[in-house]
């Protein structure tokens, strides 16, 4: 191991040299984990991490200012990248394109962590065939007020629907509050077909579990349910892959599970420290995923039987914009989540009786993708506030513009 300026070191990984700047930098203060600890973690679980992210173009989600600050999203591979980093050029619906990073070996994992990446965010395609996804991703996203048992019940229903249509579901914790089911498919279908199949799955799960799960796209209409997020299968979407460390204080990990442990496992059980031990003792529960590629024909036939999904009503102002069926008001648009939560508290202080009537799922704090990072929109659904006591739409408490300085002119 050779020392460099600015306390950098060079480590050797399978015959490749990888430079680590500031390896002693604390990344997770509560857990006491440094950048070098994070590199060592990914090298130890590389077999599983590469099974989820290897060979796929990925967006670099870089936390250069720490986990308590917003990450920025970098689609384009850095110009100065080592020869063990592959690339693939993706074309986006906006008409732009980007040469993205493709990691194929352990050294690549160490290299992206050095850039400030904490989790891995690959596309559901292989670099060799960018037009035909080989993975259907089922994101079980709980609304506020939903407990883990409800997510688990939804997961088993989704597993049942998938099995009935010839597909195998591989569960993992999301590393946050939800659960992911990964499904390998043959790379024969387009992105629109993948999304249609995922939407049919979501609708079928919701039909079998009314009040438990929902396929409603509009957040204010979901209530306290588990949203089966089919839109994660749209082109350009990425999801934190297996063994990704998430930017939470306890260094939580998105961890593959066996189905017989899904009911007893809890997301907080799986951290960098516990997953290192777990992986060393038992390996990767998803080791067989690449041998279980199935067909989308069954779900596409289901989509045809279900017919078109219900469309939201449109406004009468000729704009074509959707009109919500719920009494929504917008409170703020902010650059960071702490600012969003502060704006929400200010509104609660202004309107205590209305705030007291809100249910957990009535508070909508949404991370919105900006040009290169997230920004936050804060809304409340006043459906549980008596009509005569509902506060009106007021000037925004904060009005951050994520596109300022980026628009032509």
């Amino acid at each position: 191991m050779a020392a460099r300026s600015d306390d950098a070191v060079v480590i050797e990984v399978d015959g490749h040299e990888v430079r680590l700047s500031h390896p002693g930098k604390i990344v997770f203060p509560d857990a006491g984990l440094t950048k070098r600890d994070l590199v060592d973690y990914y090298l130890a679980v590389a077999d599983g991490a590469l099974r989820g992210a290897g060979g796929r173009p990925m967006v670099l989600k870089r936390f250069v200012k720490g986990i308590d600050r917003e990450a920025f999203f970098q689609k384009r591979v850095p110009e100065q990248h080592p020869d063990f980093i592959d690339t693939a050029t993706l074309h986006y619906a906006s008409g732009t394109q980007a040469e993205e990073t493709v990691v194929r070996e352990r050294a690549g994992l160490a290299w992206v962590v050095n850039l400030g990446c904490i989790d891995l965010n690959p596309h559901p395609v292989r670099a060799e065939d960018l037009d035909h996804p080989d993975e259907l991703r089922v994101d079980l996203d709980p609304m506020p007020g939903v407990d883990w048992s409800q997510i688990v019940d939804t997961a088993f229903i989704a597993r049942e629907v998938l099995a009935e249509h010839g597909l195998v579901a591989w569960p993992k914790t999301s590393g946050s509050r939800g659960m992911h089911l990964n499904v390998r498919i043959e790379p024969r279908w387009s992105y629109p077909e993948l999304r249609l199949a995922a939407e049919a799955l979501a609708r079928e799960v919701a039909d079998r579990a009314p009040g438990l799960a929902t396929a409603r796209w509009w957040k204010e209409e979901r209530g306290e349910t588990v949203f089966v997020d089919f839109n994660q299968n749209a082109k350009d979407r990425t999801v934190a892959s297996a063994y990704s460390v998430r930017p939470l204080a306890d260094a939580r990990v998105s961890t593959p599970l066996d189905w017989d442990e899904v009911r007893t496992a809890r997301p907080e059980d799986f951290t960098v420290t516990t997953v290192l031990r777990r992986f060393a003792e038992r390996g990767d529960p998803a080791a067989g995923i690449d041998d279980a590629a199935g067909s989308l024909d069954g779900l596409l036939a289901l989509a045809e039987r279900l017919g078109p999904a219900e469309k939201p009503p449109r406004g009468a102002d000729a704009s074509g914009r959707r009109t919500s069926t719920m009494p929504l008001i917008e409170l703020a648009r902010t650059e960071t989540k702490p600012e969003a939560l502060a704006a929400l508290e200010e509104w609660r202080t202004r309107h205590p009786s209305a705030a007291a009537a809100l249910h957990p799922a009535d508070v909508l704090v949404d991370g919105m993708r900006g040009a290169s990072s997230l920004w936050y929109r804060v809304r409340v659904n006043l459906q549980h506030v008596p009509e005569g006591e509902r506060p009106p739409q007021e000037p925004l408490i904060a009005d951050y513009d994520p596109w300022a300085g980026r628009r032509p002119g």
Side-chain angles (χ1 to χ4, degrees):
M1 185 182 299
R4 294 281 183 91
S5 60
D6 77 358
D7 83 347
V9 299
V10 175
I11 63 172
E12 184 175 325
V13 183
D14 301 334
H16 299 295
E17 288 190 345
V18 183
R19 182 178 182 274
L20 303 182
S21 60
H22 308 297
K25 178 183 177 181
I26 298 294
V27 180
F28 289 92
D30 290 0
L33 297 176
T34 65
K35 178 191 279 191
R36 180 59 190 267
D37 292 329
L38 202 57
V39 169
D40 290 343
Y41 160 80
Y42 273 111
L43 294 179
V45 301
D47 182 56
L50 290 172
R51 186 171 289 112
R56 303 177 181 278
M58 68 167 63
V59 173
L60 301 177
K61 184 180 176 185
R62 300 178 63 181
F63 290 85
V64 295
K65 296 182 180 179
I67 62 170
D68 58 341
R69 302 290 296 274
E70 294 298 327
F72 76 89
F73 297 89
Q74 180 175 334
K75 291 180 178 178
R76 289 172 174 79
V77 65
E79 186 174 344
Q80 300 298 322
H81 59 270
D83 57 10
F84 55 79
I85 292 296
D86 202 354
T87 65
T89 301
L90 275 71
H91 298 266
Y92 295 95
S94 62
T96 61
Q97 65 183 48
E99 186 179 10
E100 294 195 7
T101 300
V102 178
V103 169
R104 296 190 183 275
E105 49 191 305
R106 295 169 76 244
L109 294 174
W111 183 77
V112 298
V113 171
N114 184 60
L115 292 177
C117 297
I118 292 176
D119 47 13
L120 309 175
N121 292 270
H123 293 269
V125 292
R126 304 285 180 174
E128 293 75 19
D129 186 354
L130 299 175
D131 295 321
H132 299 98
D134 73 332
E135 187 168 81
L136 184 153
R137 295 169 173 178
V138 184
D139 181 6
L140 303 179
D141 184 13
M143 290 293 289
V146 172
D147 63 27
W148 181 249
S149 64
Q150 193 168 333
I151 301 168
V152 168
D153 289 342
T154 304
F156 275 93
I157 294 169
R159 179 197 190 192
E160 178 182 83
V161 174
L162 287 163
E164 290 173 5
H165 294 84
L167 295 168
V168 180
W170 299 80
K172 70 180 181 74
T173 63
S174 70
S176 182
R177 295 182 60 240
M179 182 179 290
H180 296 159
L181 306 182
N182 288 341
V183 182
R184 283 288 192 271
I185 58 172
E186 300 161 3
R188 296 195 285 119
W189 292 273
S190 66
Y191 271 105
E193 289 171 316
L194 176 69
R195 186 183 182 281
L196 179 61
E199 184 177 20
L201 167 68
R203 292 172 64 191
E204 181 67 15
V205 171
D207 286 347
R208 296 189 187 190
L212 177 71
T214 183
R216 290 187 175 273
W217 176 245
W218 304 105
K219 194 171 183 180
E220 69 271 15
E221 298 176 355
R222 297 175 195 164
E224 293 180 5
T225 61
V226 177
F227 175 46
V228 186
D229 188 353
F230 53 88
N231 209 48
Q232 296 294 8
N233 295 278
K235 189 174 184 180
D236 304 346
R237 290 298 184 100
T238 61
V239 176
S241 58
Y243 295 100
S244 285
V245 183
R246 306 308 304 275
L248 299 178
D250 58 358
R252 199 171 296 187
V253 173
S254 179
T255 307
L257 305 173
D258 288 319
W259 276 105
D260 62 5
E261 62 182 338
V262 167
R263 289 203 180 278
T264 57
R266 293 292 183 274
E268 61 271 19
D269 296 340
F270 305 103
T271 65
V272 165
T273 301
T274 62
V275 170
L276 279 171
R277 183 168 59 249
R278 171 186 169 89
F279 195 89
E281 292 173 353
R282 61 177 298 172
D284 182 13
I289 191 171
D290 289 322
D291 299 322
S295 169
L296 282 185
D297 286 343
L299 286 181
L300 291 173
L302 174 63
E304 188 172 350
R305 293 195 300 274
L306 292 175
E310 180 183 356
K311 298 296 183 182
R314 299 290 171 176
D317 60 358
S319 68
R321 295 190 182 96
R322 165 192 174 262
T323 299
S324 177
T325 59
M326 295 293 180
L328 286 176
I329 59 173
E330 186 174 4
L331 310 187
R333 301 176 185 183
T334 67
E335 184 175 8
T336 67
K337 192 168 185 178
E339 290 172 324
L341 297 177
L344 174 62
E345 285 308 307
E346 182 174 335
W347 183 87
R348 287 182 183 275
T349 300
R350 292 181 186 177
H351 305 285
S353 60
L358 299 178
H359 291 198
D362 292 337
V363 177
L364 309 173
V365 180
D366 301 318
M368 313 290 288
R369 184 66 69 89
S372 61
S373 62
L374 292 180
W375 60 279
Y376 291 86
R377 180 181 62 182
V378 187
R379 298 173 298 161
V380 293
N381 184 349
L382 300 174
Q383 62 179 326
H384 294 109
V385 180
E387 189 169 356
E389 301 174 21
R390 293 172 181 171
Q393 176 68 58
E394 300 170 328
L396 297 181
I397 295 170
D399 193 5
Y400 170 71
D401 181 358
W403 308 105
R406 295 180 179 270
R407 297 185 180 90

